[in-house]
Amino acid sequence: MTREHSDLLKKISGVPGSVASKEAIYLYELAKKCKGGAIVELGSWYGRSTICLGLGSKAGYGVKVYAIDPHTGSPDQRTYQKINTFEKFAQNIKNAELESVVEPIVATSEEATKNWAQPVDLVFADANYYDYEETKKDFFRWSKFLTPDGVYTMHGTVPSVSGILEGIPLHGWEGPRKFLKDFVFGSKNLRIVAIKGTMTSIQKTEKLSFLDKIKNRAFQLKSAMLRINHKIYLSLTSLPQPLKKTLKVFFS
């Protein structure tokens, strides 16, 4: 791990969120490369992933990170009470010294896209993570703004045992998983460029090359293996503690 990655993880260590270390570093590196368009984050919560994107942008070309969130809390929080996460989000961004890079948009994804006209280099989608229809709508709302080399990165597409062992419940979500199955794996113009933790990154192209088709199939197999790996891990959690420690090293 590099020093800048270590510094990144220290800065997000006290910020709640569902982005594990591997994912945080990946978002940082994606943002660091952005220079031809904006960075759009769908779902900011308390700003854990926003800080990763902001620090990455600051270390790269300094493009704006538009953090879109109505700040009414996650679905499980809204079940029990009304909540507003913006104040804590804003404080976390200030603590990370990212106010010049991060521009909050307090709105839903649908509301924000109505007046959007900028080209986008990177979309990180972590809103409506449980819902297939909203996952699909977010992709088609925002992917049309991507630059030719732009990347659309979705959270929660596959489970991540290493994330679970880190203390973050990254079991994947049915909505993003089904979206990949229905629209990406067999697509003629969407190619998968990476799977990191629970995240899958997608690029648009006019037509998939033969190599792109092979890579998509390989990523499809990887997704299936990660789900199998997750099921094996869950089935072994009832084992005695000494064996659990051995398994933790293996799955890490």
Side-chain angles (χ1 to χ4, degrees):
M1 184 184 297
T2 66
R3 183 174 178 177
E4 61 181 325
H5 292 164
S6 180
D7 289 343
L8 165 69
L9 297 181
K10 285 178 184 177
K11 288 191 175 182
I12 65 169
S13 62
V15 181
S18 59
V19 171
S21 298
K22 183 188 295 185
E23 298 174 322
I25 292 168
Y26 180 59
L27 288 178
Y28 176 90
E29 290 298 330
L30 282 177
K32 193 175 177 180
K33 296 174 184 175
C34 294
K35 59 180 178 179
I39 297 170
V40 170
E41 177 185 54
L42 306 178
S44 304
W45 207 36
Y46 291 118
R48 184 178 174 91
S49 56
T50 322
I51 293 170
C52 300
L53 295 168
L55 290 174
S57 177
K58 206 170 181 179
Y61 297 91
V63 303
K64 278 282 185 184
V65 177
Y66 293 89
I68 300 169
D69 196 309
H71 286 285
T72 51
S74 60
D76 55 327
Q77 288 176 315
R78 292 195 294 270
T79 301
Y80 303 106
Q81 60 183 320
K82 287 186 177 181
I83 191 168
N84 190 306
T85 58
F86 182 74
E87 187 176 335
K88 289 185 178 179
F89 165 83
Q91 187 60 54
N92 288 331
I93 296 305
K94 183 177 181 180
N95 292 344
E97 300 179 336
L98 290 172
E99 291 170 295
S100 63
V101 177
V102 174
E103 183 166 326
I105 298 177
V106 183
T108 64
S109 169
E110 182 179 10
E111 290 166 346
T113 195
K114 287 178 181 178
N115 299 313
W116 191 268
Q118 295 187 53
V120 176
D121 264 4
L122 171 63
V123 176
F124 174 52
D126 194 18
N128 303 309
Y129 49 71
Y130 59 95
D131 190 277
Y132 170 71
E133 289 300 326
E134 290 303 318
T135 297
K136 181 170 66 174
K137 287 176 184 176
D138 274 344
F139 179 81
F140 290 111
R141 282 179 192 131
W142 290 98
S143 62
K144 63 186 178 184
F145 296 110
L146 287 174
T147 57
D149 294 320
V151 176
Y152 192 100
T153 297
M154 300 173 64
H155 196 252
T157 57
V158 292
S160 171
V161 173
S162 63
I164 294 169
L165 293 172
E166 195 177 314
I168 301 175
L170 298 177
H171 297 280
W173 296 99
E174 179 62 18
R177 186 197 70 77
K178 190 173 187 301
F179 175 81
L180 289 182
K181 179 182 176 184
D182 290 353
F183 289 94
V184 180
F185 289 138
S187 172
K188 295 180 180 179
N189 64 348
L190 297 174
R191 62 180 169 224
I192 299 173
V193 293
I195 294 177
K196 295 288 182 180
T198 74
M199 298 176 185
T200 299
S201 287
I202 305 160
Q203 281 184 323
K204 294 168 67 178
T205 182
E206 288 187 10
K207 185 179 180 181
L208 291 184
S209 68
F210 178 70
L211 183 58
D212 287 332
K213 291 177 182 178
I214 292 175
K215 287 181 178 178
N216 274 12
R217 180 54 62 89
F219 281 122
Q220 184 176 8
L221 292 173
K222 181 177 180 178
S223 296
M225 289 303 299
L226 287 170
R227 290 195 295 275
I228 292 170
N229 195 36
H230 176 250
K231 288 180 179 179
I232 292 171
Y233 169 77
L234 291 180
S235 70
L236 297 175
T237 54
S238 59
L239 291 173
Q241 193 62 34
L243 284 175
K244 280 186 182 180
K245 289 182 179 179
T246 303
L247 288 169
K248 186 172 182 178
V249 174
F250 173 78
F251 280 104
S252 294

